[in-house]
Amino acid sequence: MEEGTSKSPSNCASTVDYGDADPFQWDTREDCQVRQILDRVADKWSLLVIALLDNRRLRFTELRREIDGVSQRMLTVTLRQLERDGLVERTVHPVVPPRVEYELTPLGGTLHATIRSLVTWTEDHQEEIAAARTAYDTRVQQTTTH
């Protein structure tokens, strides 16, 4: 479990009246369960694992080979957290040496559809984002050199 992560569910309801505030805005307190879940599923390693496990089972070594830059420890931690959250199922086959496979649970499959939408949005808007970054970097460079 990550440092600072509460083991028990907590109520994120606020006693402050925000009037017309967006009812879907998640609480920003660290002990808010919605925030904890968003932190987990929005993590780059979690996103990649969920994307790779779409409609297939993979062994740990296959996942590690497919995810550029992930360490063995980080992949282990990510898989354990996703398993704890009910998004990934770990199956150990009783052979020598043991064969361990990972696959999405039905709940994880529903999250994959959301991730696919996010990836599609990113692909559709990557040129606009690249242009915005270039424009921003140019403005920042001009203000720091004058």
Side-chain angles (χ1 to χ4, degrees):
M1 176 168 297
E2 291 180 54
E3 185 178 319
T5 302
S6 173
K7 292 182 181 180
S8 63
S10 56
N11 183 354
C12 301
S14 175
T15 57
V16 178
D17 180 12
Y18 291 107
D20 293 329
D22 181 0
F24 297 105
Q25 179 64 43
W26 57 87
D27 195 298
T28 57
R29 290 176 288 172
E30 286 188 27
D31 63 342
C32 176
Q33 193 171 66
V34 171
R35 179 177 171 189
Q36 291 174 11
I37 294 168
L38 286 170
D39 286 347
R40 170 86 61 249
V41 300
D43 169 80
K44 74 177 180 178
W45 303 125
S46 296
L47 288 172
L48 290 169
V49 166
I50 292 166
L52 286 169
L53 292 178
D54 182 37
N55 295 316
R56 62 182 177 161
R57 294 178 185 183
L58 290 174
R59 295 175 71 172
F60 182 91
T61 53
E62 294 171 316
L63 282 166
R64 182 143 186 243
R65 188 173 31 251
E66 292 287 328
I67 302 174
D68 188 38
V70 71
S71 69
Q72 181 171 337
R73 178 180 170 3
M74 194 68 235
L75 182 56
T76 299
V77 168
T78 299
L79 287 165
R80 283 184 186 152
Q81 291 170 340
L82 291 172
E83 184 180 7
R84 180 174 181 255
D85 289 342
L87 302 172
V88 167
E89 183 176 345
R90 178 179 185 261
T91 304
V92 180
H93 299 278
V95 294
V96 177
R99 190 175 87 232
V100 180
E101 295 178 324
Y102 297 89
E103 64 183 316
L104 292 180
T105 63
L107 179 62
T110 64
L111 180 58
H112 184 271
T114 301
I115 291 170
R116 184 187 319 253
S117 296
L118 180 61
V119 170
T120 300
W121 180 90
T122 304
E123 290 170 343
D124 290 347
H125 298 282
Q126 63 185 335
E127 290 177 16
E128 293 168 76
I129 293 168
R133 288 176 176 174
T134 300
Y136 175 88
D137 292 346
T138 301
R139 283 192 314 272
V140 168
Q141 185 178 16
Q142 288 172 349
T143 61
T144 58
T145 58
H146 289 92

